[in-house]
């Protein structure tokens, strides 16, 4: 089983970026957690981070036929990107959405998730733990399929 784990804009600045909201741990620590969770569960992990919408669309398209599922935190593109939603729908891979913060309790402009419309499940407000739960949920989902 292989997963692609996608992180969108500004998540490369975790640790530095608004630590009261996103925590003090950096992106390398997030990658380590995702890799460890995957390794412990016999999953091959590919990690991808980009600040560019088109690059994320390309990564989703290129995942077709190569991975079994996607874990995605589209960051700010969550709330704006129909292109990422369309890419997820186009490849038809099961995808789980993650947000470090609880976006449901934040500004009005964060209340829409386009990517979430193509995802089987969303984790928010759990910090990095949301990624661990997303990986486990996706594995369970694929095993039951
Ligand atoms: C985020 C929430 C988004 O609203 C924000 O733009 C981000 C991070 C989160 O993980 O909580 O960049 O996706």
């Amino acid at each position: 089983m292989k997963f692609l784990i996608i992180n969108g804009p500004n998540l490369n600045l975790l640790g530095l970026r608004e630590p009261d909201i996103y925590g003090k741990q950096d992106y390398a620590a997030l990658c380590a957690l995702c890799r460890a969770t995957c390794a412990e569960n016999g999953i091959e992990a590919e990690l991808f981070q980009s600040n560019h919408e088109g690059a994320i669309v390309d990564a989703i398209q290129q995942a077709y036929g190569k991975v079994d599922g996607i874990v995605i935190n589209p960051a700010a593109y969550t709330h704006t990107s129909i292109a990422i939603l369309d890419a997820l729908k186009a490849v038809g891979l099961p995808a789980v959405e993650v947000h470090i913060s609880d976006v449901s309790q934040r500004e009005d402009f964060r209340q829409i998730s386009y990517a979430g419309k193509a995802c089987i499940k969303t984790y928010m407000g759990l910090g990095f733990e949301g990624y661990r739960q997303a990986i486990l949920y996706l594995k369970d989902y694929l095993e039951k399929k």
Side-chain angles (χ1 to χ4, degrees), residues 16 25 27 39 41 58 65-66 91 95 97 104 125 127 135 143-144:
L16 170 75
Q25 287 191 287
Y27 178 67
N41 288 279
D58 287 343
K66 296 199 187 98
V91 298
E97 178 185 23
S104 74
I135 290 163
E143 281 172 353
K144 285 187 178 142

Side-chain angles (χ1 to χ4, degrees), residues 36-117:
T37 304
C38 285
E40 282 159 18
N41 288 279
I43 300 159
E44 206 184 321
E46 189 180 320
L47 274 75
F48 178 78
Q49 189 278 329
S50 179
N51 295 325
H52 304 277
E53 184 177 15
I56 295 170
V57 170
D58 287 343
I60 294 167
Q61 289 188 6
Q62 284 157 17
Y64 182 74
K66 296 199 187 98
V67 310
D68 302 291
I70 295 174
V71 171
I72 183 165
N73 181 349
Y77 291 138
T78 305
H79 319 301
T80 61
S81 180
I82 297 166
I84 291 174
L85 167 63
D86 284 349
L88 289 169
K89 285 169 93 172
V91 298
L93 290 163
V96 177
E97 178 185 23
V98 180
H99 298 288
I100 294 166
S101 66
D102 184 357
V103 284
S104 74
Q105 301 300 312
R106 297 182 65 191
E107 302 93 329
D108 286 352
F109 59 82
R110 296 187 205 272
Q111 298 314 310
I112 174 86
S113 170
Y114 289 103
K117 294 181 189 296

